[in-house]
Amino acid sequence: MLDVRNVAVRYGQALAVRGVSLRAETGSWIAIVGPNGAGKTSLARAICGLVPHQGTIAIAGEDISKLPAWERQRRGIGYVPEGRQLFGAMSVEENLRVGAFSRAGAEVRRGLDEAFALFPRLAERRMQAAATLSGGEQQMLALARALMDRPNLLLVDEISWGLMPLLVAQVFERLAALNADGLTIVQIEQNAHEVLRRATHAYVMAAGVCVFDGPAKSVARDPRVLESYIG
Amino acid sequence: MRFAAITVAAAALAAVMPFAGVSVYAGTLVYYAAYYLVLGQAWNMMSGLTGYVSFTHGALAGIGAYTAVLAINGGWPITLALVAAVAVTAFASLVIGVTSLRLRGTAFTFATLFFQELLLLGVRKLPAAGGAAGTTLQEILPTSLPHVLMVLTAAGATIAFALLRRSRTGVRLLAIKGDEDAAAAVGIDATRLKIGVFCASAALCGLAGGIHALFIASLHPESVFSVDTSIVALAVPLIGGVETALGPVAGAILYVGLREILQIVAPSLHLVIVGLLILLVTLFLRDGIIGAARRLLQRRRTYRAALETAR
């Protein structure tokens, strides 16, 4: 599904990602964990085409490295960015509609119904401006917006950041349900314990490189990894 | 639908003014309000919806004005001359758009200001356009023709803006204004969309400029490509309220009225006072007069509803 090879991201003189490779098979749930400043978000933004990068990125066998962000999205990448990046002045419903703007009317309505079924709180806040939602609701909206265009691959960046533990559990439940339905998930998380419990495979990043990868369960149990990179 | 009907009715009333014995002075005020309304709606389409502030809308109208005059003087019929004005301005905006719309935020604004000045310099050096001395329309036309055309264009621009604002494209443009990265991440091709709306907005300016050339008949580079017109194009929606179709209507009427009063009271200060007005509106009424009025109405409605419930 996703094949990332030797990707590097540079901001001026600083190398944020120094040649990372990773794979995500269809239907898998990949965790990318590591401390702050490890380059996880830069890697996610490179996969989405939001920052210039070196190396190749392929989705379903097609090289998308040279495509702009909007074309990559149309190849089936749904992105839930860190910090949510909602359209604050727009209502909840408008945010969702933007997520599916290339779809026909009936599909948009079905998408809205599904989003509101998945996140009933959003239905209650339907006409409210996105900027006025609580942190948890904003996170749900960012996730629902990314799902509106029916992606094949969901790239989720720090979704549990700033959320109450109860909400974190709810969000993970939703992700698990989506994964069970066949959606491939690549999830960047500082909350490593929860994501490693759920994911199939994990990559540990530090200082811009991938320092360890393996089945998520074994990463979760490896004392060296836990001690050095996750804590 | 009701909005379109009211707009058409208002435009019809304004359009018949020259034939209904209304004074030339009042007719001229209405004409200028319509002209600034077209420029304001064009600016609102581009800058109001995408957040990319343009300082070149006055110069775009200038391109339209010059094209129309040169075409009519070259023997073209008025209709074709206006079509040419639209086409040449749209093409010029494509050049400006392709080169500057990859820039973000204030970089784009400065690029547009640069084009504004570049156009003035270019036209001053162009012998075909009369150089620094300018050029004059050879044909003598009644001012009622540009009056009617401008009022109709203003109504059309207002309805077109209202339709655009409600359309999917309008929502996509607002998404670019909200967060361009997030917009790209949901599959919006921001660059193409920005260039497209800039061209449409420029075409409108070109038409307004072409019609305005019929009204003023004599073009001087300094006044046609003066940055003042670009400031008015921006002031009208900012004062009235960006992102709304009604905002520029309120802004244009207020601006023309204010300018008239100031020309009597303080002739040289009108742009200073308009600048102050923009400052005050952006500081205290961030969504302009129309936005403030809507909020006031909403508050009254809520208050009344609360009173009803209390009873």
Side-chain angles (χ1 to χ4, degrees):
Chain A
M1 163 59 64
L2 176 72
D3 193 359
V4 174
R5 283 194 194 163
N6 227 0
V7 162
V9 177
R10 182 189 288 276
Y11 299 113
Q13 293 295 309
L15 258 175
V17 180
R18 305 160 180 258
V20 169
S21 299
L22 67 87
R23 281 176 66 82
E25 301 301 335
T26 305
S28 62
W29 184 338
I30 306 295
I32 304 176
V33 294
N36 254 337
K40 306 184 299 287
T41 294
S42 295
L43 178 65
R45 290 175 63 80
I47 293 172
C48 292
L50 292 169
V51 287
H53 64 84
Q54 291 167 309
T56 59
I57 295 166
I59 189 149
E62 183 195 0
D63 184 358
I64 58 164
S65 315
K66 298 283 178 281
L67 297 183
W70 66 272
E71 280 198 55
R72 294 188 191 198
Q73 188 272 350
R74 293 189 189 180
R75 298 295 191 282
I77 301 180
Y79 181 41
V80 185
E82 185 190 25
R84 298 139 200 171
Q85 290 189 316
L86 294 170
F87 305 115
M90 291 188 194
S91 69
V92 166
E93 185 174 325
E94 279 177 321
N95 265 276
L96 293 173
R97 283 182 181 277
V98 173
F101 78 88
S102 58
R103 300 266 168 182
E107 273 184 281
V108 175
R109 275 190 294 280
R110 202 167 61 220
L112 284 174
D113 289 345
E114 283 175 11
F116 291 141
L118 197 60
F119 301 109
R121 281 295 282 273
L122 295 181
E124 293 164 26
R125 304 267 186 272
R126 199 174 182 134
M127 291 305 166
Q128 205 170 311
T132 63
L133 298 180
S134 74
E137 289 162 350
Q138 288 193 8
Q139 210 63 286
M140 288 173 194
L141 180 55
L143 178 55
R145 185 183 65 186
L147 293 172
M148 283 296 287
D149 206 26
R150 305 185 176 279
N152 303 319
L153 171 77
L154 189 68
L155 193 57
V156 190
D157 193 358
E158 300 288 4
I159 198 164
S160 68
W161 189 85
L163 293 190
M164 293 187 311
L166 183 70
L167 278 176
V168 173
Q170 275 182 14
V171 166
F172 271 94
E173 284 305 321
R174 303 280 195 276
L175 287 176
L178 292 164
N179 184 243
D181 281 346
L183 181 68
T184 312
I185 298 176
V186 174
Q187 188 178 5
I188 289 163
E189 231 354 295
Q190 289 226 38
N191 184 354
H193 297 288
E194 185 66 25
V195 72
L196 289 177
R197 202 165 63 80
R198 307 235 182 207
T200 41
H201 198 91
Y203 292 82
V204 182
M205 279 182 76
V209 290
C210 178
V211 289
F212 188 89
D213 85 275
K217 299 269 182 313
S218 70
V219 172
R221 279 196 297 267
D222 192 311
R224 289 165 309 160
V225 171
L226 281 174
E227 210 173 291
S228 312
Y229 303 109
I230 300 164
Chain B
M1 199 58 214
R2 201 180 61 175
F3 176 76
I6 294 171
T7 311
V8 170
L13 269 180
V16 297
M17 282 181 82
F19 312 103
V22 177
S23 75
V24 174
Y25 175 69
T28 307
L29 288 189
V30 170
Y31 170 82
Y32 270 100
Y35 175 47
Y36 294 141
L37 174 54
V38 182
L39 297 187
Q41 288 297 16
W43 189 92
N44 205 14
M45 262 179 202
M46 171 64 201
S47 306
L49 292 183
T50 67
Y52 277 73
V53 175
S54 156
F55 261 102
T56 200
H57 272 58
L60 293 171
I63 297 175
Y66 263 92
T67 311
V69 167
L70 294 178
I72 293 171
N73 287 352
W76 291 32
I78 292 171
T79 331
L80 264 187
L82 291 179
V83 171
V86 169
V88 171
T89 314
F91 178 74
S93 74
L94 194 64
V95 176
I96 301 174
V98 167
T99 48
S100 61
L101 275 169
R102 290 177 198 280
L103 303 171
R104 285 199 183 181
T106 43
F108 169 78
T109 305
F110 279 106
T112 59
L113 205 51
F114 165 76
F115 278 110
Q116 164 93 33
E117 293 302 315
L118 193 71
L119 280 166
L120 171 61
L121 287 175
V123 172
R124 280 178 60 121
K125 302 278 182 217
L126 202 68
T135 186
T136 309
L137 190 66
Q138 303 296 329
E139 213 169 311
I140 296 169
L141 298 164
T143 52
S144 56
L145 175 70
H147 180 101
V148 172
L149 288 176
M150 194 62 90
V151 166
L152 294 181
T153 308
T158 303
I159 294 170
F161 181 87
L163 292 175
L164 178 68
R165 171 65 186 85
R166 279 182 218 166
S167 72
R168 281 180 183 211
T169 309
V171 176
R172 280 189 282 169
L173 293 168
L174 284 171
I176 294 174
K177 185 182 190 175
D179 188 322
E180 198 161 336
D181 274 349
V186 295
I188 294 172
D189 180 0
T191 305
R192 206 168 65 181
L193 207 57
K194 281 184 295 184
I195 293 174
V197 74
F198 187 49
C199 282
S201 150
L204 206 50
C205 286
L207 180 60
I211 297 170
H212 191 51
L214 307 180
F215 189 81
I216 53 174
S218 154
L219 306 180
H220 295 282
E222 260 72 18
S223 59
V224 170
F225 290 98
S226 155
V227 78
D228 292 4
T229 318
S230 291
I231 294 176
V232 175
L234 159 159
V236 159
L238 276 182
I239 294 170
V242 289
E243 288 182 29
T244 64
L246 269 182
V249 178
I253 294 170
L254 189 74
Y255 173 76
V256 170
L258 196 69
R259 191 180 68 168
E260 276 314 292
I261 295 168
L262 289 173
Q263 262 168 4
I264 301 162
V265 184
S268 55
L269 284 178
H270 95 266
L271 270 183
V272 176
I273 297 190
V274 168
L276 269 177
L277 193 63
I278 296 179
L279 199 70
L280 288 175
V281 166
T282 40
L283 280 177
F284 299 110
L285 308 171
R286 269 197 291 177
D287 37 5
I289 294 168
I290 292 295
R294 274 191 189 148
R295 261 183 288 133
L296 202 69
L297 275 178
Q298 185 69 37
R299 210 175 296 166
R300 276 185 62 179
R301 238 176 258 153
T302 324
Y303 178 68
R304 279 197 189 145
L307 271 185
E308 288 293 318
T309 330
R311 273 178 204 157

Coordinates of all heavy atoms in Angstrom, one line a residue, chain A residues 82 147 159 166 184:
Chain A
E82 N -1.1 17.1 12.8 CA -0.8 17.5 14.1 C -1.3 18.9 14.3 O -1.2 19.7 13.4 CB 0.7 17.5 14.4 CG 1.1 17.7 15.8 CD 2.6 18.0 15.9 OE1 3.3 18.4 14.9 OE2 3.2 17.7 17.0
L147 N -11.7 11.4 6.7 CA -12.4 10.2 6.3 C -13.4 10.5 5.2 O -13.8 9.6 4.5 CB -13.1 9.5 7.5 CG -12.1 8.9 8.5 CD1 -12.9 8.5 9.7 CD2 -11.3 7.8 7.9
I159 N -2.7 12.2 17.3 CA -4.2 12.5 17.5 C -4.5 12.6 19.0 O -5.5 13.2 19.4 CB -5.0 11.5 16.8 CG1 -6.4 12.0 16.6 CG2 -5.0 10.1 17.5 CD1 -7.3 11.3 15.6
L166 N -10.0 9.5 28.7 CA -11.2 8.9 28.2 C -11.4 9.1 26.7 O -11.8 8.2 26.0 CB -12.4 9.5 29.0 CG -13.7 8.9 28.7 CD1 -13.8 7.4 29.2 CD2 -14.9 9.7 29.3
T184 N -6.0 1.1 6.0 CA -4.6 1.1 6.4 C -4.3 2.4 7.2 O -4.7 3.5 6.8 CB -3.7 1.1 5.2 OG1 -4.2 0.1 4.3 CG2 -2.3 0.8 5.6

